[in-house]
Amino acid sequence: MEMINVTINGTQVSAPAGSTILEAARLANIEIPTLCYLKEINEIGACRICVVEVKGAKSLVTSCVYPISEGMEIWTNTPKVLASRKKTLQLILSDHDRKCLSCVRSGNCELQKLCHDYKVDDETLYDGARNTYALDESAAHMVRDNNKCILCRRCTAVCEKVQGIGVIGANERGFSTYIGSAFAMGLGETSCVSCGQCIAVCPTGAIYEKDYTSQIFDALADPEKYVIVQTAPAVRAALGEAFGLPIGTDVEGKLAAALRRLGFDKVFDTNFSADLTIMEEANEFVERVQNGGVLPMITSCSPGWVKYCEHYFPDMTENLSSCKSPQQMFGAIAKSYYAEKMGIDKEKLVVVSVMPCTAKKFEVGRPDEDANGVPDVDIAITTRELSRMIERAGIQFTQLPDEEFDAPLGLGTGAAVIFGATGGVMEAALRTAVETLTGEELASLDFTDVRGMEGIKEASYEVAGLNVKVAVASGLGNARELLTKVKNGEAQYHFIEIMGCPGGCINGGGQPQQPGSVRNFTDIRGKRAAVLYNIDKNNPIRKSHENPAIKELYETYLGKPGSHRAHELLHTTYVKRQIHEI
Amino acid sequence: MERKQTAAFQGTDQQEKELLAAIEELKIEKGCLMPIMQRAQDIYGYLPMEVQKIIADRLGIPMEKVYGVATFYSQFNLYPKGKYQISVCLGTACYVKGSGDIYNKLMEKLGIKGGECTADGKFSLDACRCVGACGLAPVMMINDEVYGRLTVDELDGILEKYQ
């Protein structure tokens, strides 16, 4: 690799050709602040926080997009640079709703931190004309508060370039510029799929999930209610970040302990219903293959992906597995099997789910997700909302002991926990489908071809004389690429796993936010995914069909996978939508 | 961000055919969006949602992308002009002579804001900058007709002529 030598703040630095000043500085452990910059997603050099001095340059240059050249002399913290950054911040604040005390991002707002770091001591210095905007609360999962938007365009870039959706963009011009949808439509009127990736990248409190933490505290305090909670696989791989633990810390035990101390009557695990999903989905797949059903079959665990399919590939909704997602299967079983078994009135049973996902808030309100005449799941909150509940309740998260989930709906296998990473559902399904079809025990349970953070993965396996071709995509831009090939006949598969968020649920829109300074230089997805594969490796049971609680559920209640009762409780239907419904 | 009042879309099949032909002709070029939008505006006179949807769907891009461009450049109109286009001069001379009051009164009487069109498609209202008749300030124009030395009290009588 060709290396280029530069000096930064008087220190010699050697960096690969093509590096930006920002990247070269990082190699020398010099941090340059950024706001609008998101590596490979939003490289527009617009916010001008990352400016530095370069010898010979006429003015300050934006280090996030400025390539280094041999012999370049760079200074990142001269008085001129610091004054420029401070002025930029003061100008941003001049049209910013500075209600920091009540802001959901107070404490982890990137703008707030920069104002602190650059000693912005008078936030009113440039007070003058101010834009005021009504909140957009039309979507099921989130609120947009443009009064706190700094027009960095990280949200619009991730929506358009990563997810291939682009329902938000910059409208109008100059001082009137705002981020919104076409013709002032509320987000809920557009083909937004609720993935929440925009929330995950927002540096301020301009976009946030609809918060249901108060409703949960109320339910927990209500003696009439029996409140149970399920928590998705990916939550345990990221919740620790909200309490200062390193990215990639496994907090499964502390998570169970925290939920118990919050006062939930039972602390269960979506891993249980992930195993159940595998039983139903593997059965559906085998049936489709044997009976000439619609192929490829595509997974339906990710509600962001499901809504995307309905809007953008409405002619492929028959390819979606009819299985409900693990979240919804859990609720349907809790309010039937579990309620009956325990003698609890389903009307008094409150099912809460903790998800790495904002689309789950949309999913709980979908049609055909109320198998027992009541909603399968009552309240879905994000990993972030749970972290706020833990803080509010005064629970010292990092000091908690490791505890276990409750039986029976808290029992899950290694196959279930990897649902949280791209390729995990496929691997879990293969473990069960292959053993079902061959009737033999697998020598190795590791389907490594479908692991990893690549956007699109392919593999084929010989199973009982059939060459099963599978594909895995995460991120909706990748999903579109893959499905377009399938539609055009350029690629054929039997089974496809699609997750709405890049990397899968571990990188879901409801996970703790990491600032640009971390996102741009850390493999967050890989570290979180490693947590799940490690839990799988150490689990004595690694196949869904060997989960004893699942076996008992089928033996005593459901009968066989795909039975009439299983269909009533665990399967759903889809809606054909358009991209622009006007 | 609020929605504006406008007259109902009345595009014809012929207009749509012309637009589709223009898209087919131009879409092979990189950077074709603005030329297509200009042609669309030539055909329809403005760029309502129905037209932007056709452009977005045919190019396989989000409608927001079209809308973002349409609202960035002042050459594009999102709303139709009325049968009678009222322009009130808010240039310096007219403004100091009270054209702001005229403009506000018209908004009140027509029930629309600047840039909008009444639901019956009769009147649209815009502010403009100097029509070159400062000696007659304050001035407004309705289509090609100039009204000078205006007072608020005269507006009813003038609008009546266009009923």
Side-chain angles (χ1 to χ4, degrees):
Chain A
M1 190 189 305
E2 192 196 340
M3 300 298 279
I4 292 195
N5 301 301
V6 297
T7 53
I8 305 180
N9 301 342
T11 306
Q12 288 282 339
V13 181
S14 190
S19 300
T20 60
I21 295 175
L22 179 74
E23 288 162 344
R26 195 74 186 205
L27 288 177
N29 294 316
I30 295 169
E31 176 136 357
I32 300 173
T34 55
L35 261 181
C36 68
Y37 176 73
L38 277 188
K39 194 174 171 62
E40 286 161 19
I41 299 172
N42 200 40
E43 300 181 341
I44 59 175
C47 77
R48 300 197 63 81
I49 278 293
C50 70
V51 290
V52 295
E53 274 196 79
V54 173
K55 190 178 179 183
K58 274 186 294 185
S59 57
L60 297 175
V61 303
T62 45
S63 61
C64 69
V65 290
Y66 204 93
I68 53 168
S69 56
E70 188 64 34
M72 193 183 248
E73 289 179 40
I74 302 152
W75 288 270
T76 69
N77 54 11
T78 60
K80 188 177 174 185
V81 165
L82 299 184
S84 169
R85 289 181 190 157
K86 183 170 175 175
K87 182 153 287 183
T88 297
L89 290 167
Q90 284 168 322
L91 287 168
I92 290 172
L93 290 180
S94 75
D95 192 23
H96 187 80
D97 190 12
R98 300 181 296 252
K99 287 190 187 137
C100 296
L101 287 179
S102 56
C103 182
V104 66
R105 292 299 297 276
S106 185
N108 77 341
C109 168
E110 294 183 43
L111 178 63
Q112 192 182 46
K113 180 175 188 306
L114 286 171
C115 287
H116 172 265
D117 291 354
Y118 288 87
K119 200 168 177 294
V120 173
D121 36 21
D122 182 3
E123 72 269 41
T124 63
L125 190 64
Y126 295 113
D127 269 0
R130 176 70 76 81
N131 285 304
T132 54
Y133 300 98
L135 299 186
D136 179 5
E137 302 178 284
S138 60
H141 66 297
M142 66 168 255
V143 179
R144 170 174 284 279
D145 178 0
N146 272 340
N147 302 296
K148 288 179 180 161
C149 173
I150 60 166
L151 298 172
C152 67
R153 293 163 172 76
R154 276 156 59 158
C155 59
T156 64
V158 82
C159 186
E160 188 189 343
K161 292 189 195 159
V162 177
Q163 298 296 60
I165 296 171
V167 287
I168 47 171
N171 296 330
E172 305 288 343
R173 180 166 52 166
F175 189 65
S176 306
T177 308
Y178 69 92
I179 306 299
S181 302
F183 290 93
M185 277 189 281
L187 196 59
E189 301 169 78
T190 69
S191 54
C192 167
V193 303
S194 303
C195 72
Q197 285 296 311
C198 56
I199 306 175
V201 299
C202 181
T204 72
I207 331 176
Y208 49 90
E209 70 271 67
K210 286 191 171 162
D211 182 301
Y212 292 108
T213 56
S214 299
Q215 285 88 326
I216 297 173
F217 277 116
D218 288 349
L220 290 170
D222 185 342
E224 290 292 301
K225 304 281 189 201
Y226 193 82
V227 189
I228 65 174
V229 64
Q230 58 166 320
T231 169
V235 175
R236 69 208 69 196
L239 177 64
E241 294 166 31
F243 299 96
L245 295 172
I247 297 168
T249 305
D250 172 8
V251 295
E252 186 175 70
K254 291 187 184 354
L255 168 63
L259 291 168
R260 203 160 278 128
R261 278 154 187 74
L262 280 169
F264 287 100
D265 291 297
K266 287 290 173 196
V267 177
F268 291 138
D269 194 349
T270 315
N271 281 359
F272 167 82
S273 48
D275 281 327
L276 184 57
T277 303
I278 288 302
M279 298 301 289
E280 290 296 318
E281 205 160 82
N283 177 71
E284 182 184 356
F285 177 64
V286 171
E287 270 188 8
R288 285 195 190 205
V289 171
Q290 289 173 343
N291 303 332
V294 179
L295 292 173
M297 187 174 92
I298 312 179
T299 58
S300 56
C301 305
S302 164
W305 146 245
V306 168
K307 188 159 186 269
Y308 180 85
C309 182
E310 292 175 332
H311 280 295
Y312 291 83
F313 291 90
D315 51 347
M316 290 186 83
T317 52
E318 284 78 17
N319 294 75
L320 287 173
S321 161
S322 65
C323 288
K324 286 181 180 174
S325 73
Q327 162 177 277
Q328 298 301 118
M329 283 200 184
F330 179 95
I333 289 298
K335 291 190 179 180
S336 56
Y337 169 71
Y338 183 73
E340 288 164 29
K341 189 171 166 161
M342 305 302 290
I344 302 166
D345 180 357
K346 68 185 178 192
E347 303 279 347
K348 291 183 180 168
L349 185 61
V350 179
V351 176
V352 173
S353 61
V354 184
M355 295 283 140
C357 177
T358 49
K360 291 286 171 191
K361 290 178 188 288
F362 172 80
E363 186 181 52
V364 297
R366 282 184 65 100
D368 206 5
E369 300 282 355
D370 47 2
N372 303 288
V374 286
D376 293 337
V377 174
D378 296 285
I379 307 174
I381 61 168
T382 61
T383 310
R384 290 189 295 268
E385 285 168 276
L386 175 62
S387 74
R388 285 177 224 143
M389 289 186 71
I390 293 170
E391 281 175 353
R392 206 173 307 159
I395 295 165
Q396 298 289 304
F397 185 78
T398 56
Q399 303 305 311
L400 288 171
D402 288 343
E403 293 183 4
E404 308 256 311
F405 292 101
D406 291 315
L409 308 191
L411 301 180
T413 68
V417 80
I418 57 173
F419 264 57
T422 168
V425 177
M426 179 60 70
E427 182 166 349
L430 286 170
R431 289 178 191 174
T432 290
V434 173
E435 291 203 353
T436 309
L437 281 168
T438 60
E440 291 166 23
E441 197 156 327
L442 277 163
S444 164
L445 292 177
D446 298 331
F447 291 82
T448 48
D449 292 343
V450 294
R451 293 187 185 180
M453 289 300 126
E454 265 172 272
I456 298 175
K457 293 168 278 188
E458 292 177 299
S460 60
Y461 301 98
E462 289 295 329
V463 185
L466 179 70
N467 184 24
V468 179
K469 289 186 173 167
V470 303
V472 173
S474 71
L476 295 169
N478 293 322
R480 174 184 287 203
E481 188 183 324
L482 180 67
L483 291 189
T484 305
K485 276 190 194 158
V486 170
K487 258 179 94 164
N488 296 342
E490 293 162 37
Q492 273 107 30
Y493 306 101
H494 297 93
F495 193 13
I496 299 176
E497 177 207 292
I498 296 181
M499 292 293 155
C501 292
C505 312
I506 40 120
N507 187 39
Q511 296 282 53
Q513 282 132 327
Q514 288 292 349
S517 55
V518 174
R519 287 183 71 94
N520 292 328
F521 298 98
T522 313
D523 178 17
I524 299 174
R525 298 171 203 172
K527 287 184 176 189
R528 289 177 181 167
V531 171
L532 302 184
Y533 286 109
N534 200 41
I535 295 176
D536 169 37
K537 199 175 69 188
N538 294 325
N539 197 315
I541 308 176
R542 298 182 63 199
K543 296 175 241 175
S544 297
H545 53 285
E546 292 181 357
N547 180 333
I550 293 289
K551 282 190 196 165
E552 191 187 334
L553 172 65
Y554 278 108
E555 279 160 19
T556 63
Y557 196 73
L558 292 174
K560 282 187 160 60
S563 70
H564 182 68
R565 191 173 227 174
H567 259 279
E568 275 185 351
L569 291 173
L570 307 178
H571 292 254
T572 188
T573 49
Y574 304 106
V575 184
K576 290 189 192 299
R577 306 174 197 264
Q578 294 172 6
I579 300 173
H580 302 116
E581 284 167 7
I582 63 169
Chain B
M1 275 176 83
E2 62 198 290
R3 266 171 224 204
K4 295 191 173 182
Q5 260 201 57
T6 181
F9 178 64
Q10 288 175 329
T12 62
D13 290 348
Q14 179 58 31
Q15 284 174 316
E16 184 165 336
K17 237 168 99 181
E18 276 181 54
L19 175 60
L20 293 178
I23 294 172
E24 281 310 307
E25 176 198 330
L26 296 168
K27 78 176 184 189
I28 38 170
E29 296 287 331
K30 203 165 186 263
C32 64
L33 179 57
M34 279 187 66
I36 288 173
M37 290 169 68
Q38 285 160 339
R39 286 278 280 276
Q41 185 155 293
D42 287 344
I43 296 165
Y44 290 93
Y46 70 120
L47 298 175
M49 188 186 281
E50 292 81 355
V51 172
Q52 292 194 23
K53 174 177 154 51
I54 294 172
I55 297 173
D57 287 346
R58 290 283 157 162
L59 295 181
I61 60 174
M63 185 161 63
E64 163 53 33
K65 192 123 198 141
V66 184
Y67 184 80
V69 172
T71 56
F72 185 90
Y73 294 100
S74 57
Q75 62 173 290
F76 295 117
N77 299 319
L78 292 187
Y79 302 96
K81 295 300 164 198
K83 187 175 172 199
Y84 305 111
Q85 300 179 23
I86 308 178
S87 311
V88 179
C89 177
L90 294 184
T92 312
C94 286
Y95 195 81
V96 297
K97 284 282 197 177
S99 65
D101 296 336
I102 308 266
Y103 189 53
N104 290 337
K105 197 72 190 175
L106 282 167
M107 287 200 264
E108 185 190 317
K109 284 190 182 302
L110 298 171
I112 56 174
K113 294 199 208 78
E116 294 183 353
C117 181
T118 54
D120 60 5
K122 198 168 252 179
F123 293 104
S124 59
L125 178 65
D126 287 288
C128 67
R129 290 283 180 277
C130 198
V131 295
C134 305
L136 297 175
V139 170
M140 77 168 180
M141 293 179 71
I142 300 184
N143 293 348
D144 295 328
E145 197 73 28
V146 179
Y147 296 88
R149 299 209 173 92
L150 268 178
T151 62
V152 167
D153 297 335
E154 290 171 81
L155 291 175
D156 276 337
I158 294 171
L159 289 179
E160 244 165 56
K161 289 203 281 185
Y162 296 93
Q163 291 305 323

